[in-house]
Structure formats: C-alpha cells, structure tokens
Amino acid sequence: DAKTTQPPSMDCAEGRAANLPCNHSTISGNEYVYWYRQIHSQGPQYIIHGLKNNETNEMASLIITEDRKSSTLILPHATLRDTAVYYCIVRARSTGANNLFFGTGTRLTVIP
Amino acid sequence: DAGVIQSPRHEVTEMGQEVTLRCKPISGHNSLFWYRQTMMRGLELLIYFNNNVPIDDSGMPEDRFSAKMPNASFSTLKIQPSEPRDSAVYFCASSTGRLLAYNEQFFGPGTRLTVL
C-alpha cells in the first residue's frame, strides 16, 4: 500500500474552509484515497473517497491532483464539531481489502 | 439505523481475568473488523470476518486473544488471561462487504479496557 504523509496539526477559524493536505507520491493505479476522521473519544468516521476525479458529498470535498500524488480534503465551513484527527489512507478498493492503516493523521483544531 | 453497537463501553478488570467484548454490526453488513487503539501504536487491525468467517487474524497479538462470530449479528473478542498491556480502546467496525466497498467501514463507539 502506498504511504501517506500528512502535517501533524492544523488550525482553522470557525466558518472558514479547512484544507487538509495529504501526499501519496507512491500511489499506484488501482489505489483509492480514503479520508476518515476521529473525534475525541469516538470511533473513526468515514468521510469520503476518490480515485482520480474530484469528489463531493454532504461532509466534504476531495481534490486529487492530476498526477494523483497528492490530495486535499476540504471542509467548506468548519465548525467546532469538526475538531478531530483526520486520516488520509491509500488503499486498493478490492474484495478482501482488510487493513486500513490509519497512520498518525492531522489533528485539526477549529478555533472560535 | 442504530449503527455498530459495542458493549460494555468501559471495562476495568484485574490482571489474569477473562475479558469479553461484544459487537453487533449494522444489519445487512457482511464484514466485521476488530481494531485496538493505544497512544503508542495508534489504531491497529486485529482480525476481520467476512460472512461470519475469519479471513485474516494476523493482527491478533497472541494466543490470549480470540474472536468469534457465531452469526451475522454478533461477534465477541475475548482476552484470557488479560494483562495490563492489553489496556486500550477496542473498536468494532462493519462494512457491507459488497464488491469494492470493504474500505468504507462504520465504527462503533469503542470499549475502553483497563487492566490493573
């Protein structure tokens, strides 16, 4: 599985967009980019995933560069409840996929 | 939708005692995962099941750990005997098991285990 690199921490003002970067320069053609987050004392929560096209759902947008070596998760209007650790995971989306390697993630703090 | 249900939410026990953690996956989900989270090692996959059958238990730390899934709506993770180093938060997660959807996992609230 391709490794990912994320900044350890970021701050964002409430109401502003939070842009969380992830580098995955060794990603292979069949690997997707997944984003999860973990709010303190809760289980991880799936956010979004993508292959090469930009994706958007009710929680966030995912922008993947054309060469697929990096991506950015965008929370368009961050709220205090978005304070969490965000994990970028690269994984083949195939049957039998098992171990989601969560790494250390980015700790996002949304500031009032 | 009740989500993934885990019990107990907190467990405090003494070294050497048997501990059983329980999980009810989301109805209709065919894949179930057990994870452990500690400050030192982060989130680790212990074992996962597909259609009630254990597929990969390579993450189970040692023979003291065992997991079962007797039916599609229930799984247990047992530690016998427990040791202080087993103290962690244990998460259960499930996914639909549909083709190409294994990585979209839904996690339970976790069981915080403390072994004294």
Side-chain angles (χ1 to χ4, degrees), chain A residues 32-36 46 48-49 87-89 91 93, chain B residues 103:
Chain A
Y32 284 66
V33 180
Y34 292 83
W35 282 84
Y36 279 75
Y46 164 79
I48 197 169
H49 72 275
Y87 298 96
C88 170
I89 301 166
R91 187 74 184 161
R93 195 187 186 204
Chain B
N103 294 331

Side-chain angles (χ1 to χ4, degrees), chain A residues 10-13 83-84 107-111:
Chain A
M10 293 181 62
D11 293 340
C12 177
T83 293
R107 183 174 296 279
L108 175 69
T109 302
V110 180
I111 302 170

Side-chain angles (χ1 to χ4, degrees), chain B residues 78-92:
Chain B
K78 184 177 293 186
I79 307 173
Q80 167 64 19
S82 58
E83 297 182 2
R85 58 190 169 125
D86 302 330
S87 297
V89 181
Y90 291 80
F91 290 105
C92 176

Side-chain angles (χ1 to χ4, degrees), chain A residues 18-22 24 35 61-65 70-74:
Chain A
N19 298 287
L20 294 101
C22 179
H24 32 79
W35 282 84
S61 295
L62 175 60
I63 309 297
I64 302 174
T65 58
S70 65
S71 60
T72 301
L73 179 75
I74 301 173

Side-chain angles (χ1 to χ4, degrees), chain B residues 18 20 37 42 59 67 82 88 116:
Chain B
E18 177 180 297
T20 300
Q37 187 171 36
S82 58
L116 302 174

Side-chain angles (χ1 to χ4, degrees), chain B residues 37-113:
Chain B
Q37 187 171 36
T38 63
M39 288 294 292
M40 291 296 292
R41 292 201 296 267
L43 200 61
E44 308 171 280
L45 179 70
L46 300 177
I47 185 172
Y48 84 99
F49 295 82
N50 191 38
N51 292 323
N52 312 337
V53 176
I55 302 300
D56 185 353
D57 64 354
S58 59
M60 296 286 262
E62 49 199 275
D63 292 344
R64 297 185 298 106
F65 286 69
S66 63
K68 294 182 180 179
M69 192 165 184
N71 57 61
S73 59
F74 183 66
S75 176
T76 60
L77 178 68
K78 184 177 293 186
I79 307 173
Q80 167 64 19
S82 58
E83 297 182 2
R85 58 190 169 125
D86 302 330
S87 297
V89 181
Y90 291 80
F91 290 105
C92 176
S94 70
S95 70
T96 64
R98 286 196 327 264
L99 186 68
L100 305 184
Y102 275 81
N103 294 331
E104 296 151 50
Q105 298 178 13
F106 295 82
F107 282 74
T111 294
R112 182 174 295 276
L113 174 65

Side-chain angles (χ1 to χ4, degrees), chain A residues 81-99:
Chain A
R81 286 177 293 182
D82 291 323
T83 293
V85 178
Y86 287 77
Y87 298 96
C88 170
I89 301 166
V90 172
R91 187 74 184 161
R93 195 187 186 204
S94 60
T95 56
N98 42 52
N99 194 1

